[in-house]
Amino acid sequence: MKHFLRILTLAALTAGALAGCSDDDPKADAQRGVGTVTGTVIDDFGDALGGVTVSCADGASTTSTDLDGTYTLEGVKIGTGIVTFSKSGYQTASVTVTAAKFNAEGVATVDASLEYAAAKIEGRVLDAKNGNAPLEGATVSISESQSVTTGADGRYALENLPLDTYDVTFAKEGYATIVRKIGLDAFVDGVATLDMTMGGREILRDKTADDLALADKWYFNEYRGGRNAESYPHWDWSTDYMATLDFYGNWEEQNEGTTLRIRNDEGDRSNPADTDVFDSYVYGSKLITDDNRIMTLQVRTHNGSDDEPICFGVQVVDLSQAEPEAVKIGQMQTLNSEAYKSFAFDLSAYKGKEVVIAVGIYRARTGDYWKQLVLRRIAFASEQVDGWGWLPGTEVTGLEGWKMTQEMVRSTMPHTKQHFTGISPVSGNRDNYVDAYRAWRDVDHIAANWSFMPLHKDPEVFPSEGYLIKTRGGGTAVNLNEPESYFYAKYAIGAGCNRLVLTTRNFSSTNATYFKLAAIGEDGTVTSLAPDTNTASSAEAAGNGCWKFIHEDGGAGSPDKYATFEYDLSQFDGKSVVLALGIFKGEENGDENKLVIYSLDLQ
């Protein structure tokens, strides 16, 4: 049985907190008493597990489980102590016991379950400061208790791991610490290989060229944040996708937007002033075209003044250069206003290139220097963007009212990912959503990867069934031309990426949900797509390329009961198209109609 193909939670049956075992102090033994711990150990399938080493924390008493998984550990102090269960290929478990766990005969029963853990992360660490020679003495860790040190050959191996997602940290004094994420797809036959070069030249603060080569893609031409918006486009807490970008340094989500702040803990106040290197910043990789060459920041400040304004700017790194550098775009900007203001940065020099763009705040003096730059909008267009309206440009013919422009279609970057979830691993609400949004980054959540257009209605972000886009309720006119809201992303269609599968449901047995999947070519041609198969309780074409369906099954405990709609995209093979998925007000009724996005896959 291939245990490593399953990811299971370590289950150790505990009773209190267990600490020491018998020692050589007869007086202490007489005072506390000595007893026996017995029990059974099973694996993650519930089968008896033999050959497990069972020991006390101090190693004074040790035994092994028999073939039937049972064990008896003698000479255990009746007190509070730790018993450890270990076996090669399984994750070690520590189980606790207190004096109350022992019966009158001095026997405590402690059972345990060990998770199969034969996966391994291995690799080699090289020293960029020394001609990429092997780097000895680097610490490679996945947690405070799980770490190894590289040998003279620079090699390391983290063994006996469950198959899971890991943040692998590489650290050594005198070198910038590096963190890399290992996903499940990195493990081949239970082994993930991760080589690392440390000591490379920093281009942005704590970021080398290797780091920047892994930057998030800024696929779209607009990112907004903040929670205070009263009119549409209604970008508030539910659509605050600025929080899903990659930030470095000191930053925080606030009602006004996402704030980049000077690192100002007591130990940071001795940091020198530096108006060339960002103190805190957000960064991503973006393809610059004639349609998006002007970058607009809509920002405000906290703690700015005439004497001490906030200092900020934009830097670009072209990794195609032999020796990449962080190049300032225009002059360093200053701002002391609590009102939002637009600043434009011309990226025309990089047309036709994908470059790393960083927006950051500078430390202008040493000492107690507490400054904040509030980012409300990052927008890319062929001109400066002022105000809060939609991106300027020429509307796509056939999508009137969608606020989708030909410029957006042409300059949206083709997505590199194909599998998306609508399930949030962390829940949230208006007062506590940042952790939830950040968790989207780790699970390829659709709302962190596709761009959301809230034309008339916000979504429901954290239901257990999936991400939920919906219509307005009573009094809203039927309209199969203009969606209430929609998601969009661009794909290069071809073998392995020419079928789309939407897994979904709704919440009414009488009011159907109306939705449409449209494909927009780079020449502006719009094609409404019909599913070639579906498993909904009822589904049919509804006019203007829309489909309506009813299907109430599916949830966190029954993922196989959702409906699926499958689309053949092969007519676009060899082309890049924008795919747009929207919900429509298709019937006159007093209810909100809802489209659940449980998952969306390109195959």
Side-chain angles (χ1 to χ4, degrees):
M1 200 173 283
K2 297 182 177 179
H3 293 66
F4 60 79
L5 292 180
R6 298 183 59 186
I7 308 170
L8 299 172
T9 305
L10 173 65
L13 306 178
T14 64
L18 168 53
C21 297
S22 182
D23 55 26
D24 295 326
D25 184 351
K27 184 176 181 180
D29 286 348
Q31 290 176 342
R32 299 183 182 182
V34 175
T36 299
V37 176
T38 186
T40 302
V41 181
I42 59 175
D43 63 15
D44 43 14
F45 292 97
D47 298 327
L49 192 59
V52 177
T53 299
V54 186
S55 62
C56 292
D58 59 8
S61 182
T62 301
T63 189
S64 297
T65 58
D66 295 329
L67 292 177
D68 63 358
T70 62
Y71 73 93
T72 299
L73 188 63
E74 306 282 0
V76 179
K77 277 193 275 190
I78 299 176
T80 300
I82 299 174
V83 169
T84 299
F85 301 84
S86 60
K87 179 179 174 67
S88 179
Y90 291 80
Q91 191 172 29
T92 298
S94 294
V95 181
T96 63
V97 67
T98 62
K101 184 68 175 178
F102 290 85
N103 62 21
E105 287 72 37
V107 177
T109 300
V110 177
D111 299 326
S113 174
L114 299 190
E115 180 182 4
Y116 187 80
K120 177 169 66 172
I121 302 172
E122 63 182 13
R124 196 180 190 198
V125 181
L126 303 180
D127 186 358
K129 296 181 180 180
N130 189 26
N132 287 340
L135 182 60
E136 183 178 8
T139 299
V140 187
S141 61
I142 55 174
S143 69
E144 291 184 1
S145 61
Q146 293 173 287
S147 66
V148 294
T149 302
T150 56
D153 59 358
R155 296 193 178 278
Y156 72 92
L158 290 156
E159 299 181 296
N160 295 332
L161 305 176
L163 265 185
D164 205 344
T165 298
Y166 293 96
D167 289 322
V168 186
T169 300
F170 299 81
K172 182 177 173 66
E173 186 175 356
Y175 294 77
T177 297
I178 299 172
V179 180
R180 289 286 185 270
K181 182 175 293 294
I182 285 282
L184 292 175
D185 56 355
F187 290 89
V188 179
D189 293 331
V191 178
T193 300
L194 180 59
D195 297 327
M196 187 55 55
T197 300
M198 299 184 68
R201 180 174 60 88
E202 290 186 14
I203 299 176
L204 297 174
R205 187 179 297 279
D206 284 344
K207 303 293 180 184
T208 67
D210 288 340
D211 296 319
L212 297 178
L214 300 174
D216 290 350
K217 303 285 188 182
W218 286 2
Y219 295 103
F220 309 103
N221 286 343
E222 182 170 43
Y223 297 90
R224 299 204 197 192
R227 299 192 283 180
N228 292 339
E230 298 303 327
S231 61
Y232 283 84
H234 197 155
W235 299 80
D236 66 358
W237 76 279
S238 65
T239 46
D240 182 0
Y241 302 122
M242 192 83 73
T244 69
L245 301 183
D246 202 356
F247 289 83
Y248 169 88
N250 190 321
W251 68 281
E252 183 183 53
E253 283 297 318
Q254 297 183 1
N255 287 339
E256 299 84 358
T258 308
T259 60
L260 289 169
R261 310 192 294 188
I262 297 297
R263 297 171 298 157
N264 202 46
D265 291 341
E266 189 171 350
D268 295 320
R269 293 173 186 172
S270 60
N271 292 340
D274 194 333
T275 54
D276 291 317
V277 179
F278 290 138
D279 201 71
S280 299
Y281 57 92
V282 58
Y283 70 105
S285 183
K286 185 157 189 67
L287 175 64
I288 306 304
T289 72
D290 195 54
D291 294 313
N292 65 13
R293 68 187 185 277
I294 304 299
M295 176 184 185
T296 303
L297 303 180
Q298 285 179 266
V299 296
R300 59 169 291 183
T301 70
H302 290 314
N303 308 104
S305 66
D306 291 339
D307 294 334
E308 286 194 339
I310 276 72
C311 301
F312 71 99
V314 172
Q315 296 184 6
V316 169
V317 181
D318 182 358
L319 292 175
S320 69
Q321 298 295 308
E323 293 291 332
E325 300 286 349
V327 177
K328 288 183 177 179
I329 302 302
Q331 301 297 314
M332 180 183 73
Q333 301 292 331
T334 59
L335 184 65
N336 61 7
S337 173
E338 295 284 325
Y340 288 103
K341 184 176 180 180
S342 294
F343 291 83
F345 299 85
D346 191 346
L347 304 174
S348 298
Y350 299 98
K351 283 193 297 183
K353 289 187 173 183
E354 184 175 342
V355 294
V356 175
I357 301 172
V359 179
I361 184 171
Y362 297 103
R363 173 179 280 277
R365 69 169 175 83
T366 299
D368 185 1
Y369 184 71
W370 182 236
K371 302 296 178 184
Q372 302 181 61
L373 175 73
V374 183
L375 287 172
R376 189 60 181 269
R377 188 184 201 184
I378 300 174
F380 296 87
S382 58
E383 61 189 67
Q384 179 170 327
V385 178
D386 292 311
W388 301 110
W390 301 100
L391 289 174
T394 303
E395 194 168 39
V396 174
T397 302
L399 297 181
E400 288 77 15
W402 289 53
K403 309 303 181 183
M404 172 77 72
T405 70
Q406 295 178 17
E407 292 83 356
M408 290 164 61
V409 171
R410 289 193 296 260
S411 59
T412 293
M413 295 168 60
H415 219 297
T416 60
K417 300 177 181 179
Q418 293 180 220
H419 308 289
F420 307 95
T421 182
I423 300 294
S424 294
V426 178
S427 64
N429 54 49
R430 284 185 181 271
D431 299 316
N432 178 25
Y433 63 90
V434 178
D435 288 344
Y437 276 26
R438 300 304 287 177
W440 287 359
R441 293 167 52 85
D442 298 330
V443 297
D444 291 334
H445 196 284
I446 187 170
N449 285 274
W450 288 44
S451 189
F452 184 66
M453 299 286 281
L455 298 178
H456 301 291
K457 186 66 175 176
D458 290 335
E460 292 181 24
V461 183
F462 303 114
S464 61
E465 295 87 0
Y467 197 94
L468 206 160
I469 59 177
K470 57 187 180 179
T471 68
R472 289 165 290 176
T476 304
V478 170
N479 190 337
L480 294 183
N481 296 310
E482 185 178 309
E484 298 285 276
S485 65
Y486 66 96
F487 276 109
Y488 76 92
K490 180 184 280 188
Y491 284 91
I493 306 300
C497 186
N498 57 17
R499 283 192 72 79
L500 182 145
V501 180
L502 169 66
T503 306
T504 184
R505 62 164 292 175
N506 72 351
F507 296 96
S508 175
S509 61
T510 57
N511 296 325
T513 293
Y514 290 69
F515 73 101
K516 177 162 70 173
L517 180 70
I520 307 104
E522 293 191 321
D523 62 356
T525 301
V526 179
T527 305
S528 296
L529 300 174
D532 54 8
T533 64
N534 77 84
T535 62
S537 299
S538 67
E540 61 182 281
N544 197 34
C546 291
W547 274 64
K548 67 176 182 178
F549 81 100
I550 290 174
H551 188 92
E552 293 185 277
D553 289 337
S558 53
D560 57 326
K561 293 185 177 180
Y562 287 93
T564 58
F565 288 81
E566 298 193 21
Y567 298 82
D568 183 359
L569 307 177
S570 60
Q571 62 180 297
F572 306 111
D573 279 357
K575 299 178 181 180
S576 290
V577 296
V578 168
L579 300 175
L581 176 66
I583 186 169
F584 295 77
K585 186 68 175 179
E587 297 178 352
E588 289 185 359
N589 56 59
D591 295 333
E592 296 178 336
N593 295 104
K594 302 177 180 183
L595 177 72
V596 172
I597 301 175
Y598 175 75
S599 65
L600 194 152
D601 296 283
L602 277 294
Q603 302 174 355

